């Protein structure tokens, strides 16, 4: 069956939301670029809203128009309905699992920032210099180190819809904390502490250590849908930056059911292929676990029925050898397996189909689309940092953006080449006027050479010493490449009609 096509429905090139985009001018191409870029995109639980984060610590909320899927001559230009300015470097976020665009009380989002508590916000707030101080959270949730009395950095957030959405989970350094979001406080703004703390790393003796050690960088809850025949679904998968995986049962007070290291159980001939787990995803059936790492061109698929069994390696993700996040998503397939969608480092999307139906060491992509985020004139190519599938499976949202290194020497060369035509007349006149000065300088230097031999020898040795010095390396500058948020319609090809016998 031929691969589906992707049609552009809507897009946005301003990651800062309601704030006017500020620009930097890179002299390499003489075109303005924004100084921030999109870092992630997520769907709401009802599929009507998109949440994007930017490198400038901003959270933008987009409510999609009702006529999104109607045919149009040009893509819709998206404008955020709310912009939040976070007080510090933006960490993971978690929208409400019972989000409804028609009910205001359900429109909530959890945010985390460095050296700040976890905050609960109403996202539809606009930014302005006078109203920035009014962007106050509705509630705060504290996780404080008892030794240093400092806020513990939050490295992952999970707000599951099970149990009515009354609890959320936060991951930190060798720790998983469970918070009750409905716990009331005494002041105007609610302050709460975790109701349950699950240490993921323990020492059973002087030489043995049990559990996960390192920052819990990824969390995912097993699909609790009973239609797949899973009894007691409630396992939380956790991944660490030290390439560790663990399964925790919330129905048993967070008991650790299994933990293992990817380097120890992977059949990959190069165990150092990955550089830390950045995302874990459960399959729709709840039997398989997809592990997404940094600095790797492949994804790992585990069968949790045999905990340490590596089912397959999904290879072929171009440009994956980077520390930048390349988030992926899963969707239930039509043939019994499931699909995995992931962004690539060269502005495209790669798809694996029928995952889970067969096992193998290396599984090549079923199809891919290149150039979905083509750079405009003068912009470097950026990676697709996130690919988020709509719950209906007919629409996918992607975002791109990254820093790029540009040599200042190349920029100066391009500047001189671009200005040659405009300054050719003045350059020619300057060279003619300086000809006599050069001749006079040569005569003076030759006269000094005949008069003072010792001085010339000293200068000659100094000049030779100067010539032996290595050429300095050109300085490198950072510029933002192509950055955009795009929404695509997945159009399946029509089946071929059977030939009619004449």
């Amino acid at each position: 069956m031929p691969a589906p096509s992707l049609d552009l429905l809507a897009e946005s090139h301003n990651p800062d939301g309601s704030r006017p985009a500020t620009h930097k001018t890179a002299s390499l191409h003489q075109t303005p670029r924004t100084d921030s870029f999109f870092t992630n995109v997520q769907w709401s639980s009802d599929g009507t809203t998109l949440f994007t984060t930017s490198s400038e610590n901003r959270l933008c909320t987009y409510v999609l128009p009702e006529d999104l899927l109607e045919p149009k001559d040009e893509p819709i230009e998206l404008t955020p309905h709310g912009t939040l300015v976070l007080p510090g470097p933006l960490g993971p976020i978690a929208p409400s699992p019972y989000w409804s665009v028609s009910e205001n009380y359900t429109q909530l989002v959890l945010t985390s920032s460095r050296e700040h508590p976890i905050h609960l916000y109403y996202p539809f707030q606009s930014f302005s210099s006078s109203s920035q101080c009014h962007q106050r959270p509705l509630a705060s949730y504290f996780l404080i180190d008892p030794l240093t009395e400092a806020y513990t950095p939050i490295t992952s957030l999970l707000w599951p819809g099970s149990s009515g959405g009354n609890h959320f989970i936060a991951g930190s350094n060798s720790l998983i904390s469970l918070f009750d979001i409905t716990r009331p406080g005494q002041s105007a703004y609610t302050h709460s502490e975790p109701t349950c703390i699950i240490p993921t790393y323990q020492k059973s003796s002087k030489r043995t250590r049990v559990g996960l050690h390192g920052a819990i960088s990824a969390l995912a809850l097993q699909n609790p849908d009973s239609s797949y025949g899973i009894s007691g679904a409630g396992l939380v998968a956790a991944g660490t930056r030290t390439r560790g995986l663990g399964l925790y049962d919330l129905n048993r007070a967070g008991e650790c059911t299994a933990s293992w290291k990817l380097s120890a159980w992977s059949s990959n001939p190069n165990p150092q292929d990955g550089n830390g787990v950045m995302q874990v995803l459960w399959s729709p059936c709840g039997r398989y676990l997809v592990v997404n790492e940094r600095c790797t061109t492949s994804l790992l698929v585990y069968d949790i029925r045999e905990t340490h069994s590596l089912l397959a390696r999904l290879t072929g993700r171009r440009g994956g050898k980077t520390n930048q996040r390349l988030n992926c998503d899963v969707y239930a397939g039509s043939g019994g397996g499931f699909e995995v969608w992931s962004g690539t480092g060269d502005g495209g999307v790669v798809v694996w189909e029928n995952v889970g139906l067969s096992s193998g060491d290396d599984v090549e992509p079923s199809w891919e689309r290149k150039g979905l985020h083509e750079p405009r004139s003068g912009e470097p190519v950026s990676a697709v940092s996130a690919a988020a599938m709509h719950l209906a499976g007919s629409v996918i949202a992607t975002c791109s953006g990254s820093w790029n290194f540009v040599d200042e020497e190349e920029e100066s060369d391009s500047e001189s080449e671009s200005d040659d035509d405009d300054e050719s007349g003045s350059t020619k006149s300057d060279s003619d006027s300086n000809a006599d000065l050069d001749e006079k300088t040569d005569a003076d230097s030759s006269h000094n050479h005949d008069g003072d031999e010792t001085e010339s020898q000293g200068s000659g040795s100094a000049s030779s010493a100067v010539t032996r010095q290595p050429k300095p390396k050109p300085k490198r500058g950072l510029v933002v490449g192509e950055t955009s948020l795009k929404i695509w319609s997945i159009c399946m090809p029509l089946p071929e009609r059977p030939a009619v016998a004449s």
Side-chain angles (χ1 to χ4, degrees):
M1 185 177 180
S5 61
L6 300 180
D7 297 335
L8 183 60
L9 300 176
E11 61 181 347
S12 174
H13 295 274
N14 183 12
D16 292 331
S18 56
R19 186 187 73 167
T22 57
H23 294 79
K24 290 181 180 178
T25 302
S27 55
L28 178 61
H29 297 284
Q30 292 298 315
T31 55
R33 302 189 184 101
T34 59
D35 59 353
S36 64
F37 54 88
F38 291 98
T39 57
N40 197 9
V41 59
Q42 298 182 33
W43 286 97
S44 62
S45 58
D46 63 348
T48 61
T49 309
L50 282 175
F51 306 94
T52 64
T53 56
S54 72
S55 59
E56 290 294 323
N57 308 326
R58 295 178 184 273
L59 171 63
C60 297
T61 307
Y62 298 83
V63 178
L64 301 183
E66 297 180 356
D67 58 345
L68 179 66
L69 298 178
E70 296 181 2
K72 301 176 183 62
D73 296 334
E74 296 292 336
I76 300 175
E77 184 66 25
L78 294 177
T79 302
H81 292 72
T83 303
L84 290 177
V85 184
L86 278 301
L90 180 59
I93 68 170
S96 167
Y98 44 80
W99 181 284
S100 176
V101 73
S102 59
E103 302 291 344
N104 292 337
Y105 68 90
T106 64
Q107 298 166 3
L108 302 172
V109 61
L110 287 169
T111 65
S112 61
S113 300
R114 189 181 305 170
E115 299 180 354
H116 288 82
I118 303 172
H119 287 152
L120 181 67
Y121 278 102
Y122 176 70
F124 294 110
Q125 301 183 34
S126 59
F127 170 81
S128 65
S129 58
S130 60
S131 64
Q132 183 178 3
C133 60
H134 299 292
Q135 291 183 316
R136 295 180 179 178
L138 302 177
S140 300
Y141 304 90
F142 294 89
L143 186 59
I144 299 177
D145 190 340
L147 299 179
T148 61
E149 296 185 357
Y151 291 115
T152 302
I154 303 300
T155 53
S156 57
L157 275 177
L158 176 63
W159 193 352
S162 58
S163 69
N166 295 329
H167 296 82
F168 70 90
I169 307 171
S172 55
N173 189 16
S174 303
L175 195 68
I176 297 177
S177 304
L178 181 66
F179 288 86
D180 186 355
I181 203 167
T182 61
R183 187 173 181 176
Q186 301 296 328
S187 59
Y189 296 99
T190 304
H191 302 282
S192 178
E193 295 181 353
T195 58
C196 180
I197 295 180
I198 307 171
T200 63
Y201 181 69
Q202 298 177 354
K203 293 183 179 180
S204 58
S205 64
K206 293 183 178 180
R207 295 186 178 181
T208 60
R209 295 175 175 86
V210 180
L212 301 181
H213 175 62
I216 308 298
S217 55
L219 290 170
L221 179 65
Q222 189 180 25
N223 193 342
D225 191 353
S226 60
S227 62
Y228 291 101
I230 303 176
S231 59
L235 292 179
V236 173
T240 67
R241 294 175 181 173
T242 56
R243 303 198 71 196
L245 282 179
L247 301 179
Y248 297 86
D249 192 353
L250 295 183
N251 297 329
R252 297 182 179 179
E255 178 184 354
C256 180
T257 60
S259 65
W260 68 97
K261 296 285 279 187
L262 299 182
S263 57
W265 296 97
S266 176
S267 61
N268 184 6
N270 182 12
Q272 300 299 328
D273 190 17
N275 191 19
V277 178
M278 64 177 175
Q279 188 183 18
V280 289
L281 293 169
W282 288 96
S283 64
C285 63
R287 301 186 182 97
Y288 309 105
L289 187 66
V290 180
V291 182
N292 187 9
E293 292 189 273
R294 298 180 188 267
C295 294
T296 179
T297 58
S298 60
L299 307 176
L300 303 179
V301 182
Y302 283 89
D303 188 349
I304 65 164
R305 294 171 295 183
E306 299 178 6
T307 308
H308 298 156
S309 174
L310 180 63
L311 183 68
R313 292 177 66 250
L314 309 181
T315 62
R317 183 170 63 175
R318 301 183 313 277
K321 287 290 186 178
T322 175
N323 282 322
Q324 183 178 355
R325 297 181 65 95
L326 300 177
N327 287 347
C328 60
D329 203 355
V330 297
Y331 184 74
S334 57
F338 63 98
E339 303 174 359
V340 179
W341 295 63
S342 175
T344 62
D346 56 359
V349 171
V350 62
V351 182
W352 295 270
E353 295 178 342
N354 299 324
V355 179
L357 297 183
S358 60
S359 61
D361 290 338
D362 295 333
V363 178
E364 296 295 329
S366 301
W367 56 276
E368 60 181 343
R369 287 290 179 269
K370 301 179 181 179
L372 295 182
H373 289 260
E374 294 183 355
R376 294 175 291 183
S377 60
E379 290 180 335
V381 178
S382 295
V384 176
S385 55
M389 178 70 69
H390 191 269
L391 55 90
S394 58
V395 175
I396 186 171
T398 60
C399 67
S400 64
S402 61
W403 290 109
N404 292 270
F405 287 98
V406 177
D407 294 337
E408 294 183 359
E409 183 178 359
E410 297 179 359
E411 294 183 3
S412 60
D413 294 342
S414 61
E415 285 181 356
S416 59
E417 292 176 0
S418 62
D419 296 339
D420 281 344
D421 296 336
D422 298 335
E423 300 179 358
S424 59
S426 59
T427 304
K428 185 175 181 181
S429 62
D430 292 341
S431 60
D432 294 339
S433 62
N434 292 333
D436 298 337
L437 181 60
D438 295 338
E439 293 177 358
K440 184 178 179 180
T441 304
D442 295 338
D444 294 339
S445 62
S446 62
H447 180 269
N448 293 334
H449 175 72
D450 296 337
D452 193 354
E453 184 177 358
T454 305
E455 184 178 357
S456 69
Q457 291 178 356
S459 62
S461 61
S463 63
S464 62
V466 172
T467 56
R468 288 195 296 268
Q469 292 180 357
K471 184 179 179 180
K473 296 182 180 180
K475 296 181 180 179
R476 305 190 72 185
L478 280 176
V479 296
V480 176
E482 190 274 340
T483 179
S484 60
L485 166 67
K486 295 186 178 182
I487 303 176
W488 307 86
S489 173
I490 305 174
C491 302
M492 301 300 296
L494 297 176
E496 297 181 358
R497 295 183 179 181
V500 180
S502 58

